[in-house]
């Protein structure tokens, strides 16, 4: 034990040197691959080298950080400096959805896509002011730990575990799906096999060392991720406008897009119906839904267990606060660039793809067309002949690609921008490695959150309180494996709602965790009965709204008074409910997205991704009302809550060693 401890202090002292050396090595590796590409090494080999080299490095860090100590496994020994914890949180936070999907969403929605960026960034301000430092001062291992201590007993703990598993599991499935998408494109594997290959990369980082291994691999993954995200847009910005700072040239790109939009409308390359102006607000969301999404993403971020867990790993309360500040900076670097990424990408598509002769389509399109992610004239763009045949079937087609003929999956935007812009393949490989780092780091954090809640809260605290350390860690590892394999199996079936699921995770966390956490820290009068009733009511309503609007829409209309959502532009109903209810499949359950009512009905014209907006206020209201009519918590508990709010002094909960 002593040798392990001294080894780990040496490691902490030399962190700066270690990661500087690592970053230099990574850049040298990218340059080496660029040279190999010039020499004529085939692209497929470069793709393999990129993916294998980066995963191998994470694996080495993961294996070197293996541990047999409980506090190291659950909270990295509470010894992670604020700066590195901020970086690890950045990687933990920036999922495949942020890296791959964020710019794609902005590409598709234009101004309305900013709701996601604003919400996700703002959430960290709430973490630093309302929750993070207090949980650190309390000294828990998991979020349900806090719930159990504050609200006495295992019922509150069990509810905490249920909320945690519901929001983390949908989210981790989406991450594993992301690794599968990247691996299938750059390794040329079948998607189903690629998902399990991605899973191997995830498990190598987290299985042996738990939180300790995940922390140090996440720092490494953040470095890869940010270099990969910024490189292509810095190059594009320099090529187009002569300034290598994309955030400054973003305005010029927007002006060019607006001019090109007008030009496309005049020359018949786009119709008013198919073209959404990039800078016009409230085309896709009504103002209510725009702000509801910002609000749900903000509060959801501040309630997600795998993010709150990161602040358990700092040496002190003060470091926990500082670390949130660093997280915000590292996340800002990516989110500040995402709108620019979307703009450069859109400009390239509008100038390089739209208006091209069908016979002159660039070959990169077919790589994605084969995966079914790019369609031209309604058919997958697998090769030139297929495209020409598909467009011949369209009446009066002019023989050039028009905007209304071209459909691109939003997840492809970031991964294909280097190819659209004609940059060398090594840049595409770099972006893929970054996307993989983003998906792996978040998946690790989520799997760890689920497995730790099951092993620490359910197994150790409820089933076998006297379990020895070795057995606790074995149980934690076995559960991690089981959850991971199940999530990968689910991802390999390509569920249709994969991106919606990520949005749902935020609403569920917000309705289930936020009221109980906030009231637990900030209102001493909150009672056990109040918190339990509040979690059940808020989480229950949120889950009900999500499930009914998506999977039981007919029942929502028939029995729960739901009406059609309204079109943001015209204010007209999106679907004629009376007519849809007469159809034979109106009352179908678990329907596909093609169902006339799925995701199109609700209360107050609120989209289901913002369901937390119904659940959270009900949670707060229930907690306040029930607490006021039940007996106040003991004087001892109230004194402890005072203690939690003081930054100095000892940690409230001491671990039995």
């Amino acid at each position: 034990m002593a040798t392990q401890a001294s080894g780990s202090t040496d490691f902490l002292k030399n962190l700066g040197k270690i990661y500087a050396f690592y970053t230099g090595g990574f850049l040298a590796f990218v340059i080496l691959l660029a040279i190999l590409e010039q020499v004529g090494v085939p692209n497929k080999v470069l793709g393999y080298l990129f993916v294998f080299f980066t995963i191998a490095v994470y694996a080495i860090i993961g294996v070197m950080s293996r541990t047999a100590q409980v506090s190291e496994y659950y909270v990295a020994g509470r010894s992670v400096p604020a700066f590195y914890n901020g970086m690890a949180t950045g990687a933990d936070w920036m999922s495949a959805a942020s890296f791959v999907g964020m710019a794609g969403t902005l590409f598709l929605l234009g101004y309305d896509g900013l709701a996601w960026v604003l919400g996700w960034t703002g959430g960290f301000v709430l973490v630093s002011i309302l929750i993070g430092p207090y949980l650190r001062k309390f000294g828990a291992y998991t979020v349900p730990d806090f719930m159990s201590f504050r609200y006495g007993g295992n019922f509150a703990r069990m509810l905490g575990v249920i909320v945690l598993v519901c929001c983390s599991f949908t989210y981790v499935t989406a991450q594993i799906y992301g690794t599968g998408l990247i691996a299938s494109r750059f390794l040329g594997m079948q998607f189903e096999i690629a998902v399990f290959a991605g899973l191997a990369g995830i498990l190598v980082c987290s299985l042996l060392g738990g939180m300790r291994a995940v922390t140090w691999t996440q720092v490494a993954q953040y470095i890869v991720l940010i270099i990969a995200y910024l490189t292509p847009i810095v190059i594009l910005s320099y090529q187009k406008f002569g300034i290598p700072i994309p955030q400054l040239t973003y305005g010029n790109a927007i002006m060019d897009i607006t001019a090109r939009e007008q030009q496309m409308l005049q020359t018949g390359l786009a119709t008013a119906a198919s073209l959404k102006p990039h800078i016009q607000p409230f085309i896709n969301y009504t103002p209510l839904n725009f702000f509801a999404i910002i609000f749900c993403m903000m509060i959801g971020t501040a309630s997600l267990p795998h993010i709150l867990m990161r602040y358990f790993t700092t040496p002190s309360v003060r470091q926990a606060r500082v670390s949130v500040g660093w997280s915000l900076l590292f996340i800002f670097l990516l989110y500040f660039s995402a709108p620019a990424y979307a703009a450069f990408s859109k400009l390239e598509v509008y100038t390089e793809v739209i208006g091209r002769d069908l016979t002159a389509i660039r070959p990169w399109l077919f790589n994605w067309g084969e995966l079914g992610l790019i369609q031209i004239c309604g058919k997958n763009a697998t090769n030139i002949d297929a495209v020409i045949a598909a467009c011949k079937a369209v009446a009066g087609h002019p023989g050039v690609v028009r905007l209304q003929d071209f459909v691109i999956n939003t997840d492809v935007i970031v991964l294909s921008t280097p190819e659209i812009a004609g940059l060398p393949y090594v840049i595409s490989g770099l972006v893929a490695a970054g996307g993989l780092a983003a998906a792996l780091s978040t998946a690790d954090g989520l799997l760890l959150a689920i497995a730790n809640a099951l092993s620490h809260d359910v197994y150790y605290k409820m089933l076998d309180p006297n379990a020895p350390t070795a057995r606790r860690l074995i149980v934690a590892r076995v559960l991690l494996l089981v959850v991971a394999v199940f999530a990968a199996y689910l991802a390999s079936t390509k569920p249709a709602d994969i991106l919606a699921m990520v949005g749902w995770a935020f609403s569920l966390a917000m309705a289930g965790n936020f009221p109980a956490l906030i009231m637990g820290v900030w209102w001493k009068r909150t009672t056990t009965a109040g918190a339990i009733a509040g979690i059940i009511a808020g989480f229950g309503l949120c889950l009900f709204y999500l499930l009914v609007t998506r999977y039981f829409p007919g029942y929502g209309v028939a029995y729960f008074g739901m009406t059609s959502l309204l079109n943001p532009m015209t204010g007209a109903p999106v679907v004629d409910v009376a007519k849809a209810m007469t159809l034979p499949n109106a009352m179908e359950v678990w329907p596909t997205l093609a169902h006339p009512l799925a995701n199109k009905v609700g209360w107050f014209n609120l989209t289901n991704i913002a369901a937390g907006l119904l659940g959270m206020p009900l949670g707060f209201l229930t907690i306040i009302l029930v607490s006021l009519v039940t007996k106040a918590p003991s004087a001892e508990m109230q004194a402890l809550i005072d203690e939690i709010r003081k930054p100095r002094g000892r940690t409230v909960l001491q671990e039995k060693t």
Side-chain angles (χ1 to χ4, degrees), residues 67 78-79 87 127 136 147 166 229 283 408 524 578 580:
T67 179
R78 302 201 200 275
S79 60
M87 220 184 252
V127 175
R136 172 65 191 88
M147 296 284 196
C166 283
Y229 201 78
I283 303 179
I408 183 166
K524 289 187 282 190

Side-chain angles (χ1 to χ4, degrees), residues 397-422:
H397 195 278
V400 295
V401 181
R402 300 174 301 178
L403 185 63
Q404 57 267 41
D405 302 328
F406 181 74
V407 177
I408 183 166
N409 180 310
T410 49
D411 292 349
V412 176
I413 301 292
V414 168
L415 296 174
S416 67
T417 296
E419 296 170 283
I420 301 178

